[in-house]
Amino acid sequence: MTELLSYGFMQNALMAAVLVSLASGIIGTLVVLKRMVFISGGVAHTAYGGVGLAFYLGINPIFGAVAFSLMASFLMGYVQRKTRQRQDTLIGVMWAIGMAIGIIFADLTPGYKADLMSYLFGSILAVTNTDLLLMLAVDILVISLVALFYKELQATAFDETFARVRNLPVDLLYVILVAMIGLSVVMLMRVVGLIMIIALLTVPAAIGAMYLKNMKHIMWLATGLSLIFTIGGLLISYYFNLSSGATIILVSGVFYLGALALHRFCRRCPE
Amino acid sequence: MTAIESTTQVEIKNLYGGYDHETVLEDINLTIHENDFIGLIGPNGGGKTTLLKIILGLLPYKKGSVLVMGHSPQKGRQHIGYVPQFAIFDSDFPISVYDVVKMGRLSGKRVFQRLTGEDDAIVEEKLAWVDMLDYKNRGIRELSGGQRQRVYIARALATEPELLLLDEPTVSVDFESRTKIYELLHDINRQGVTILMVSHDLNVISSYVKTIGCLNRNLHYHGQKEITEEMLKSGYNCPVELIAHGLPHRVLAEHQEGR
């Protein structure tokens, strides 16, 4: 273990685990409570278009991912709020188009493309110092915004109509939230890959929401669980030589099913 | 303020409203005075919720005028305590009773402010009023339908409203809790809060409200407690279907009974 910690890549991975868990715990809680899981999945996959484009243009894929994921967040957020019907269809179509754009640009880019795979499936062991700085920036932004608007975010998640009658800035809060989802998605992409982001964003918060009734507590528990899943998954994948992203997700999946079973088993468990 | 202004809370004139391609409300005229307790009945799809949404500034209207406390609905709604329809809530949402009622203390003007001890005192006071103080630390999902409804009423009261709007307050609530809710509303009204309630539950409504109206595209409301012959005429089918369910006799106007 001590030997393991002496590797630079392992230190980076552990730091990434902490930083990513903060975002997934806090934003994941809002995503789960506000029922925006599908949008988040859509944003994650659309972001791949940005990764492909950035590859083609020869710039850092993270910037492409940020641009596409923010764009997708706003677009899908708009669709979800403004169109009365077929929102899931529209979001699903954007989801696939974004992905397709990424693949086409990857095709058009000559040379070695293995790195593109790391955005699909994640590689926490390949996290660079630049990535860590970006993650830290996103965390600081997310924590400050959520702290600043906590009571309003909770009110709109629970009952948007009432919040509107109280003249809360419901639409502005929604824009802020989708932007935070977009940024968190990019950050989680480095760790578990965009295909599996949806699990790390929802599982910890969903477990928290099963057992707790205070949003702040759910955020903390989700952050803790996310940390356990990422570090646990990372260690298991290291010792058994497995893909880290997939292992992290399987660990969270096992916990989720366990929590669900326990919750069903004793309906009046610790509230 | 003149005397007339101070007693009129909502003034709706020749209102037409509805959704994109569908007019749900036609030529609605309604004046709500301070201390009124109005029950509006009507069939589903008769425009009850639409009317409430327009008063709350949640839905733009097509024609006519709506004044809430002398202002536009968007401005005037800060004086309205709103109790939405039960069904819109996620019944599994993880939140405590106390935190739900505390939402009543939020407002657009206080976004960057912390809530204070005074707010806590108001929340506790309203919880006690609806007889739910003992449940303040419970999760909302652990409560029965009637208990939840009382929590939502407490949340609306926590806004310290002049007017309370309730949308079907007794849907999915058992009979005993229903009586309790109506008695609570009666008490709230006696303490000086105006109430407008829409419901299709005429049987109970009739014994607690001060005046009753019927809404089915058009509004038949003349500030009376009785359902008039005019409301009963065919084409306004709302009271007709209610009669079939056993309308209490005393709600009907005298000349109706004598026939």
Side-chain angles (χ1 to χ4, degrees):
Chain A
M1 193 76 175
T2 2
E3 183 209 311
L4 200 58
L5 285 175
S6 66
Y7 297 128
F9 66 83
M10 199 44 107
Q11 288 165 3
N12 275 9
L14 290 177
M15 265 190 276
V18 174
L19 294 174
V20 155
S21 296
L22 277 166
S24 89
I26 295 169
I27 294 304
T29 300
L30 291 167
V31 164
V32 167
L33 294 188
K34 230 172 144 42
R35 299 186 176 271
M36 292 171 72
V37 174
F38 190 62
I39 282 203
S40 312
V43 169
H45 285 74
T46 312
Y48 192 68
V51 172
L53 180 62
F55 249 86
Y56 180 74
L57 298 174
I59 57 177
N60 188 338
I62 286 291
F63 297 119
V66 168
F68 264 62
S69 109
L70 282 179
M71 207 169 65
S73 305
F74 292 131
L75 211 59
M76 290 179 187
Y78 181 81
V79 164
Q80 193 183 41
R81 290 181 78 82
K82 296 296 173 189
T83 40
R84 287 233 191 94
Q85 284 146 359
R86 308 246 175 264
Q87 326 167 330
D88 56 340
T89 310
L90 275 166
I91 291 170
V93 168
M94 282 193 254
W95 171 318
I97 290 177
M99 199 79 213
I101 291 175
I103 294 167
I104 296 296
F105 273 116
D107 285 345
L108 296 175
T109 313
Y112 186 59
K113 286 165 211 153
D115 207 27
L116 268 175
M117 297 293 271
S118 80
Y119 289 91
L120 282 177
F121 303 111
S123 60
I124 192 170
L125 291 172
V127 167
T128 63
N129 288 335
T130 320
D131 291 334
L132 286 177
L133 278 176
L134 185 88
M135 289 175 182
L136 184 67
V138 172
D139 273 344
I140 290 171
L141 187 71
V142 162
I143 292 170
S144 334
L145 284 172
V146 172
L148 195 60
F149 295 111
Y150 179 80
K151 57 189 194 308
E152 286 78 18
L153 284 167
Q154 184 183 37
T156 53
F158 179 67
D159 182 354
E160 204 174 278
T161 311
F162 187 84
R164 209 177 276 277
V165 173
R166 295 306 302 152
N167 287 318
L168 298 185
V170 172
D171 293 317
L172 177 67
L173 287 168
Y174 190 79
V175 169
I176 291 174
L177 180 59
V178 290
M180 289 194 296
I181 292 174
L183 290 174
S184 308
V185 155
V186 175
M187 169 171 181
L188 274 105
M189 192 189 286
R190 291 302 286 147
V191 173
V192 288
L194 62 91
I195 293 178
M196 293 172 285
I197 280 175
I198 210 164
L200 201 55
L201 206 52
T202 54
V203 168
I207 296 177
M210 265 182 231
Y211 293 99
L212 301 173
K213 56 178 174 254
N214 177 314
M215 193 167 92
K216 224 175 271 174
H217 298 165
I218 297 173
M219 285 175 169
W220 285 121
L221 178 62
T223 301
L225 286 171
S226 175
L227 196 60
I228 293 171
F229 301 159
T230 13
I231 293 181
L234 177 62
L235 292 177
I236 294 172
S237 71
Y238 183 82
Y239 285 114
F240 294 95
N241 198 20
L242 302 166
S243 302
S244 55
T247 314
I248 290 168
I249 296 305
L250 278 184
V251 170
S252 26
V254 167
F255 268 81
Y256 181 69
L257 293 176
L260 202 60
L262 190 69
H263 189 64
R264 296 257 152 175
F265 184 66
C266 51
R267 285 216 166 256
R268 300 229 156 238
C269 267
E271 259 286 354
Chain B
M1 261 203 213
T2 68
I4 294 163
E5 274 175 311
S6 69
T7 59
T8 302
Q9 293 191 341
V10 175
E11 195 162 36
I12 299 173
K13 280 183 182 160
N14 309 107
L15 172 80
Y16 286 74
Y19 303 91
D20 296 344
H21 305 290
E22 198 192 356
T23 302
V24 183
L25 297 170
E26 278 178 11
D27 199 21
I28 305 288
N29 291 282
L30 174 67
T31 306
I32 303 176
H33 300 281
E34 207 176 296
N35 238 345
D36 275 353
F37 188 170
I38 305 172
L40 291 186
I41 52 166
N44 287 331
K48 298 188 300 277
T49 301
T50 309
L51 180 62
L52 291 192
K53 279 187 176 169
I54 288 174
I55 295 174
L56 288 164
L58 296 170
L59 186 74
Y61 47 91
K62 295 178 175 180
K63 243 170 42 183
S65 72
V66 179
L67 285 179
V68 178
M69 313 293 161
H71 300 284
S72 70
Q74 275 88 355
K75 191 151 181 253
R77 66 185 173 196
Q78 57 182 309
H79 303 288
I80 301 180
Y82 177 44
V83 183
Q85 218 177 97
F86 211 75
I88 67 162
F89 291 104
D90 173 1
S91 60
D92 202 32
F93 199 97
I95 189 165
S96 70
V97 166
Y98 194 86
D99 282 347
V100 170
V101 179
K102 217 163 70 177
M103 280 174 198
R105 298 308 303 154
L106 302 182
S107 82
K109 291 174 191 156
R110 302 181 70 190
V111 169
F112 294 105
Q113 290 170 25
R114 284 182 162 274
L115 295 184
T116 62
E118 196 190 328
D119 293 305
D120 287 321
I122 291 170
V123 170
E124 302 241 341
E125 178 204 323
K126 307 306 175 191
L127 272 169
W129 196 356
V130 304
D131 197 20
M132 285 299 289
L133 192 55
D134 292 344
Y135 294 85
K136 68 173 182 176
N137 294 321
R138 290 279 193 91
I140 196 91
R141 57 188 169 192
E142 297 166 59
L143 305 181
S144 72
Q147 290 173 325
R148 261 186 235 179
Q149 196 58 270
R150 279 185 281 143
V151 172
Y152 299 137
I153 292 173
R155 177 179 67 164
L157 288 174
T159 68
E160 314 236 272
E162 291 174 41
L163 168 65
L164 204 57
L165 289 195
L166 299 105
D167 195 349
E168 302 277 6
T170 54
V171 162
S172 65
V173 169
D174 62 70
F175 186 77
E176 216 167 296
S177 312
R178 217 172 273 196
T179 313
K180 196 162 178 181
I181 287 169
Y182 284 121
E183 255 149 31
L184 173 64
L185 292 177
H186 186 67
D187 181 47
I188 290 168
N189 182 240
R190 241 191 348 227
Q191 306 288 322
V193 181
T194 313
I195 296 180
L196 172 67
M197 165 168 75
V198 304
S199 176
H200 60 256
D201 177 20
L202 178 69
N203 279 325
V204 192
I205 243 189
S206 58
S207 33
Y208 292 95
V209 300
K210 288 178 181 163
T211 52
I212 200 161
C214 167
L215 183 65
N216 187 15
R217 278 187 95 87
N218 304 101
L219 175 68
H220 302 275
Y221 176 70
H222 310 287
Q224 293 165 291
K225 170 110 191 198
E226 292 86 18
I227 291 187
T228 62
E229 192 176 7
E230 184 205 351
M231 296 181 193
L232 285 170
K233 278 179 191 160
S234 59
Y236 305 140
N237 76 34
C238 63
V240 177
E241 93 182 17
L242 285 155
I243 285 166
H245 287 101
L247 184 71
H249 271 294
R250 56 195 185 76
V251 184
L252 293 167
E254 290 294 325
H255 63 280
Q256 287 279 325
E257 280 183 302
R259 264 209 270 187

